[in-house]
Amino acid sequence: MWRSLWRSIDRFSPQYFKYVVNELQGIKVVDRSNREMVIDLMQSIVETVTYGDRHDPLIFEYFMEYQVMAEFVRVLRIGKNSRIEATLLQYLSIMIQNIDSEQATYYCFSNDYINNIIAHPYKFDGGDLAPYYISFLRAVSCKINRDTLCLLVKVDGDNVISFPLYSEALKFARHGEKMIQTAVRALSLNVYNVSDDMVFQFLTSPPVSNYFSDLVQSLKEQCIGLDTIVHANNEKSPQGRIKELQLDADKVVDDLYYLKDIISVGELRLSRCVMENLLKLLVLPALLSLLQLEEKSDSSFSAVTSLYIVSRLLQVVGGRSLINFVAGVILYPYLASSKEDAAQGNNCNGTSGSDSFSRYISKLEAVVYADFDSEGTKNINGENSLGCLVGCESCDSPSAKRNGILGYVFSDNPTLLLSSLYLLLILAENEDCDDFLSRMIKSIVLPQEKIVDVLLKVLANPQVTVLTFQQTGWFLEKWLRCQGMKLGNDSSMLFNTSYEQSRERLQKEFDGPWFDYIPDTLRNEWESCKKDLEEPVNRKDPLFTLELHINQQKDDSCAATSSVSWQKMVDAVKAFVLHLQLKALIWKQDRPDKLVLAVETLSTSESWKTRSSDHSSANFGAEVALGSAFSCRIAFSNAGIRDIYVIPVSKGKSGKLLLMEKHPFRTQKGVVIAIAPLPGLSPKIEKEHPTWLHLQIREFDPRFDSSKTKSHHLKRSNHVIDGRWTLGFPNAEACKAAQLMILEETSRQRSFVERQLALMLRDNALVD
């Protein structure tokens, strides 16, 4: 009714605005009878205020004169309904986001209006009010600056004692909805970026600072969850566990980037608060489990997960303090052991080697704690000593040196080898790593020749997975390029052994059911492998280490199907392409972006020329000449026994078996009713029934697309049951003849593919 009375008045005029405000002020009780009207009134006020802020200053003057913000607070108190609360929060969010003038923002934030709305006793249980509430808080946080921040905090003397916007938002920090979590983090970063000295003191002092320890503790729990997935012994397939692992790892990385954003604010107390909790609650436990090789407890991690956590932290969070802390702790057993060795004798001028090495230890500790004051350092573990942090007794023992990071680098377990090597590679190549520590890593922990030999031994191990081959090749690529190294005689023999194994593995696939796809797979994997090998260290996701561990566990659920055979062929191609590209690197040859195979010219003697030309291009339903097709019978589950004709035909790398029915009107023509690929048929005559020919049909469809290298990365769990045809011939001679013709055409098809790859598979093959 109130709208109909004022239709003739401009809804964005001051007169209209005053009328709407008066109507709202007249509301004393909100119930079902007037709830919708109250919502309409609030909407009209917000729309008019937003318009007036940009076009008519008089409207906002009325907004302040009539104390509309106080009216909103009053409606919130008398509304006592989640619909009123949600709508009011939504409209206020819109208004705050859209007002531009500093005067309007200052007024909205003054007189505790915002704080009263924030502190209202909402009931969030079971409703959809929380998203509106958090959106409102985030909208407010986007408008705060150094001048308006003081309007939202409560101060006693020189100390901030309350900050409702921040404190109430943090109550939703671990909310189940991702959108709310993201909004809370955005709000907190907005606060950190505009806070002053007093506010930072409040944020980094207990109990408010507990948010940072809770955040890191939650991160640690997520990492323990990753470790549980990695070592789970359940019925879920490796690929299913890897998918679960990837989803949970994404959450861990999100948290790490949030911590990095907090540190990037650049406020010393804030950065120290975050870093101390990271070192104490996450980094140090992970590093200690590596140094001591302890059995993991419910609150710690296995070695492979510890290596992943530390590597991901260095990659995402980084920074001088973290980089050097990790490097210092990893090196400490070797430094302490060297100190112990030096103490057993004096140098030539009579000075104790122990005294000299003590200076190195002091320098090391100074580098690690360069960005922390003495108070911050003590808060980590009570004493300003790296030795106390990592446990001097365990680290100074000879077993610590033997069982430190080198215990993993030279491990027989490829996953631990590559995981530890990746961590050391990050440290050695990081610009923030102190020169002293970087030199120690390169000279003591990473003897170059030994590392290359270890990697080559992994490549020469036929039992490791193709994923391990790929990651090992990446490390070998980095080492050979960065060090400009050439392989010695022993190393060359190791590589040649590995190369020969990969070539033989690929050659065996010519007898498999997917040999016709080998050329296209080679082209695809060549581009993919080249891209993977050239991936920079700082862009490589260390999650591959956990995936390697899972993939080492055999999946016994895989049956001998065409899908499994497909993956076996792809893996063989991957391994060979990797060795071929590494061979080009070792022989100092550039690798082309694309692989060009030998082009074969089909000779006139090929069977597709001597037969009817329509056979090679025949599709389902096509009419083709019966020619030399064999007459036989076949039983279909849904169509009974049918009289058919069968003929195999190959053209180049393509080959298929055609099943035809005689055309009802053309006696010399047949209609194609089924087609099967020649590879994988494996025609076998049943001993007890010599007129029966059994064929295995390749049902799995790899959806091959030469433009998408990822098309080969298929889930092993999705296995398709292969088909089976049994053909019945008039006599044993006809059955044998049909079998021989199928084998002959398959052999012609295979020979064509082999000729395409002959140059690549020769002993001295290199890419031209």
Side-chain angles (χ1 to χ4, degrees), residues 503-504 506-512 514-519 522 597-600 606 652-654 746-762:
R503 186 176 65 168
E504 290 176 357
L506 179 60
Q507 287 174 325
K508 289 180 180 179
E509 291 303 315
F510 286 116
D511 295 325
W514 292 100
F515 68 80
D516 51 329
Y517 275 83
I518 291 177
L522 275 166
L597 302 179
V599 178
E600 282 284 337
E606 295 287 354
K653 67 177 182 179
S654 300
T746 305
S747 177
R748 286 196 177 96
Q749 181 185 1
R750 182 185 297 109
S751 297
F752 182 89
V753 174
E754 288 175 337
R755 289 196 298 272
Q756 277 192 304
L757 306 180
L759 293 178
M760 183 179 296
L761 291 172
R762 65 186 181 183

Side-chain angles (χ1 to χ4, degrees), residues 190-350:
N190 289 338
V191 170
Y192 302 148
N193 279 292
V194 300
S195 293
D196 56 20
D197 185 74
M198 290 175 57
V199 175
F200 274 125
Q201 187 62 37
F202 172 79
L203 299 177
T204 56
S205 301
V208 181
S209 62
N210 291 341
Y211 170 61
F212 302 109
S213 59
D214 291 343
L215 184 63
V216 178
Q217 186 62 41
S218 173
L219 180 59
K220 181 178 180 181
E221 292 171 2
Q222 292 183 65
C223 292
I224 293 174
L226 290 179
D227 198 56
T228 301
I229 297 173
V230 170
H231 297 281
N233 186 16
N234 51 34
E235 297 180 356
K236 186 175 291 186
S237 68
Q239 287 300 319
R241 287 165 56 197
I242 286 177
K243 183 177 180 180
E244 183 181 358
L245 183 74
Q246 291 169 342
L247 293 174
D248 287 4
D250 286 343
K251 298 176 183 177
V252 170
V253 173
D254 286 345
D255 286 357
L256 292 178
Y257 274 109
Y258 175 53
L259 292 171
K260 179 180 177 63
D261 289 339
I262 296 175
I263 295 172
S264 299
V265 171
E267 209 283 328
L268 179 61
R269 285 166 295 184
L270 189 64
S271 299
R272 188 185 67 201
C273 193
V274 172
M275 191 59 68
E276 284 180 358
N277 282 289
L278 266 177
L279 295 179
K280 178 176 65 176
L281 299 177
L282 188 59
V283 179
L284 197 55
L287 290 174
L288 286 178
S289 67
L290 292 176
L291 293 176
Q292 298 171 359
L293 297 180
E294 295 177 340
E295 292 293 330
K296 80 181 192 73
S297 64
D298 292 338
S299 59
S300 61
F301 323 102
S302 64
V304 65
T305 305
S306 296
L307 289 163
Y308 165 75
I309 293 168
V310 178
S311 297
R312 210 50 166 132
L313 270 163
L314 297 181
Q315 194 177 56
V316 176
V317 179
R320 176 181 169 83
S321 297
L322 182 59
I323 292 289
N324 290 305
F325 183 89
V326 171
V329 174
I330 286 178
L331 285 173
Y332 191 84
Y334 308 101
L335 298 178
S337 178
S338 298
K339 176 181 176 181
E340 182 180 341
D341 294 341
Q344 296 177 2
N346 295 332
N347 56 26
C348 59
N349 61 8

